[in-house]
Every structure is written in C-alpha cells, then in structure tokens.
Amino acid sequence: MIYKILADFVVVIHFLWIVFLFLGAIWGRRYLTIKIFHLSGLAFAIFIQVFNLYCPLTHIEVWLRSKHDPQLAYSGSFIIYYIDKLIYIEVQRYIIFIVTIILCALNILLYFPLLCHSKQGKKF
C-alpha cells in the first residue's frame, strides 16, 4: 500500500513540476534563484525531448507502481499516459516536443524585458 501512496505522490509532484515549467517565468521574473531553476528545468525538458528520454519522475512512478502491483505499471511517457487517460486520444511524441519548444519560447519572451533592462545596468 505504501508504494501506491508514494506513486500517487510522485504523480502530484510531476504535475506540479509541469505547471512550474508552464508558469515559472511569472515567479522567476521577480526572483533570480527561481529564474535559474526555471530556465534549467526548461533546458532539461528540451534535453529529454531531443534525446527521446523520459523524465526521471516517470521512472520513479512506474517503479513504485510495479512494486505495489506489477499490473499497474505502464511504459512510456508520463504525459502521454495521463493525457490519454484524460481525453482518450493518443498524443505523439513529436507533439510533446513541439509543445515543449513553444513553452520554452513563451517563457523566454516573458524573461526578455528583464534581459533588456539588465543591459542598461539594472539588476535582474
């Protein structure tokens, strides 16, 4: 039972991580530490997409589910698995890659005004 609870906790953390990647620039504009963490997370998201890897949180969740009940484990991407469960369509990996690139571009646009100000001698 503890493995199932831990797996569910990992799903929540994974979801919060994805939300942070989408909205982290809002918070990161005010705090340098958050900005560095957020941009590093976006770079990591691109890295795992380019090299066709899965997020380590996916591996942890699958391992915990397999420890609880091997039939509950799934293979593949966290996002594809749960999006498929929610809306009953198959999401191709290239779509996730495109969304990742768009996400990074939008977040960089949110940071861009701060980068312009930093060139004028202001602290970002």
Side-chain angles (χ1 to χ4, degrees):
M1 181 66 168
I2 188 73
Y3 290 113
K4 183 179 182 325
I5 293 169
L6 290 172
D8 292 342
F9 180 71
V10 170
V11 169
V12 170
I13 297 299
H14 205 165
F15 175 75
L16 293 173
W17 174 251
I18 292 168
V19 169
F20 175 72
L21 290 180
F22 273 93
L23 303 175
I26 295 167
W27 196 18
R29 291 177 74 175
R30 298 184 75 201
Y31 304 101
L32 181 60
T33 305
I34 300 299
K35 181 189 297 185
I36 292 169
F37 190 66
H38 182 245
L39 290 173
S40 299
L42 291 173
F44 180 71
I46 290 175
F47 176 83
I48 64 176
Q49 293 297 318
V50 167
F51 291 101
N52 199 26
L53 302 171
Y54 294 116
C55 178
L57 292 172
T58 300
H59 293 293
I60 293 168
E61 184 209 345
V62 169
W63 180 78
L64 289 167
R65 293 212 186 280
S66 69
K67 289 298 230 177
H68 172 70
D69 181 358
Q71 293 178 346
L72 293 178
Y74 61 89
S75 62
S77 167
F78 166 86
I79 296 170
I80 291 172
Y81 179 78
Y82 285 104
I83 286 178
D84 188 53
K85 287 284 194 183
L86 291 173
I87 59 176
Y88 302 104
I89 63 170
E90 183 152 335
V91 178
Q92 301 294 324
R93 286 192 61 82
Y94 77 91
I95 292 172
I96 294 174
F97 181 71
I98 291 169
V99 169
T100 302
I101 296 299
I102 291 169
L103 168 68
C104 290
L106 290 174
N107 279 286
I108 288 171
L109 288 174
L110 285 172
Y111 286 129
F112 186 74
L114 295 174
L115 295 174
C116 290
H117 291 311
S118 69
K119 290 180 182 178
Q120 297 172 359
K122 293 182 181 179
K123 184 179 176 184
F124 62 95

